[in-house]
Amino acid sequence: MKLPSRVKLVDVGPRDGLQNEKQMVPAEVKITLVHMLQDAGLKEIEVTSFVSPKWVPQMADNAQVMAGIHRKPGVRYSVLVPNMKGFEAAVESKPDEIVVFGAASEAFSQRNINCSIAESIERFAPVVEAALKRNIYVRGAISTAVGCPYEGEIAPERVELVARLMKQIGVQHCGVADTIGVGTPLKVQRAMEAALKHYDINDVSGHFHDTYGQALVNTMACLEMGIWQFDSSSAGLGGCPYAKGATGNVATEDVVYMLQGLGIETGIDLDKLIDAGKYISDFLDRKPNSRAATALLNQRT
Ligand code: HMG
Ligand code: MG
């Protein structure tokens, strides 16, 4: 079994992790979390989203958060953008990367971004064009790539279709997302293979919510395919307000612990990462949702 020698993790905690929180998290806390993540060695951080504040109030401070970050050379800061209005606002904050986010399921597309899959591609096309003109890298996310809270199981062909449509409009990277964490290794591999019909292995990533405790094993299944880029969330925060029952992303701490054990390089300092996860968990008044963080924090005391 030949595994990648290095893995890039995108910590989506400040965005995916916090978007679903009921209590408002002040911009300063989000900024501190970003600073702690970059100090821990994260090379890409998904900071916020430029979506409607009526739909996702927690992300209303997007510009303030982006403006407050002391950027570290070599770190990429990405933001979610659903349409041109979001792009125009995002661009003022100078992101290194934007993420357009569609879905493999029609019902989820409607609930999440209020339009059909075809309409979403029409909305993304001018965003992608404008971003590429400004040399801003464009990542795409395909939600509900294995299962949908409204439609049930999703066939890989539907992932392939959205990957093809995204490729046609110039999206440079394809993130395959198990929004509600129902995937198991072979199903996730099939969804990945569907994306790989249109994207190079170096341009795909996995984004696994851990609702059913499968995210780590799904990550391993992708590593076995040679996939080396993943989204994860410090302290296992996360969830989508429009995906009922979905819990957090796989904890960055758990992924880093596993990768260290496999001898795979991440450039991340696990101790400092645990501090970041503990900081945000303390603020939210809960324990980190990471088995590795819990075990290592217990050892500290
Ligand atoms: P809409 O209502 O169809 O948009 O929403 P609209 O164009 O008809 O505009 C309606 C109002 O929204 C107008 O304001 C617009 O100005 C405003 P009003 O005149 O009523 O005052 N508006 C905006 N405001 C700020 N920023 C914008 C923007 N666009 C319109 N960009 C829209 C469409 C996409 C905006 C809406 O459905 C929305 O914001 N949805 C939120 C989606 C979201 O953030 N979901 C969570 C992130 S995705 C996720 O978590 C999944 C992921 O993690 C992968 C996975 O796990 O699956 C990425
Ligand atoms: Mg997500």
Side-chain angles (χ1 to χ4, degrees), residues 13-79:
R15 195 279 305 170
D16 201 333
L18 296 178
Q19 70 182 9
N20 209 25
E21 288 298 329
K22 295 277 174 296
Q23 64 164 308
M24 288 313 280
V25 180
E28 304 78 65
V29 173
K30 295 172 179 164
I31 293 163
T32 301
L33 175 61
V34 170
H35 288 162
M36 291 181 86
L37 291 171
Q38 64 191 23
D39 285 349
L42 264 303
K43 288 286 177 285
E44 181 163 341
I45 302 170
E46 202 170 275
V47 177
T48 186
S49 54
F50 285 83
V51 297
S52 161
K54 286 185 193 146
W55 284 62
V56 187
Q58 187 66 261
M59 296 287 112
D61 59 1
N62 41 32
Q64 200 188 340
V65 174
M66 285 296 280
I69 296 168
H70 300 299
R71 298 191 186 200
K72 190 171 169 181
V75 176
R76 300 170 61 76
Y77 303 89
S78 48
V79 300

Side-chain angles (χ1 to χ4, degrees), residues 12 33 43 77 131 138 163 167 188 208 210 222 234 246 275 283 297:
V12 298
L33 175 61
K43 288 286 177 285
Y77 303 89
V138 183
K167 184 77 183 182
V188 165
F208 305 131
D210 199 29
C222 291
S234 42
D275 291 339
F283 176 82
L297 281 167

Side-chain angles (χ1 to χ4, degrees), residues 12 15-16 19 177 179 207 209 239-240 249:
V12 298
R15 195 279 305 170
D16 201 333
Q19 70 182 9
T179 314
H207 174 113
H209 286 260
C240 176
N249 291 83

Side-chain angles (χ1 to χ4, degrees), residues 12 15-17 19-20 46 49-56 59 62 80-90 99-103 108-115 123-124 139-145 175-181 207-209 231 238-243 246-247 249:
V12 298
R15 195 279 305 170
D16 201 333
Q19 70 182 9
N20 209 25
E46 202 170 275
S49 54
F50 285 83
V51 297
S52 161
K54 286 185 193 146
W55 284 62
V56 187
M59 296 287 112
N62 41 32
L80 260 60
V81 168
N83 52 20
M84 272 314 281
K85 186 175 170 82
F87 180 75
E88 278 152 17
V99 185
V100 291
F101 51 105
F108 185 75
S109 181
Q110 289 290 353
R111 302 271 182 128
N112 195 40
I113 49 175
N114 206 22
C115 63
R123 287 182 189 180
F124 299 154
R139 186 151 52 91
I142 304 181
S143 287
T144 57
V176 175
D178 183 7
T179 314
I180 54 169
H207 174 113
F208 305 131
H209 286 260
D231 297 348
C240 176
Y242 299 102
T247 61
N249 291 83

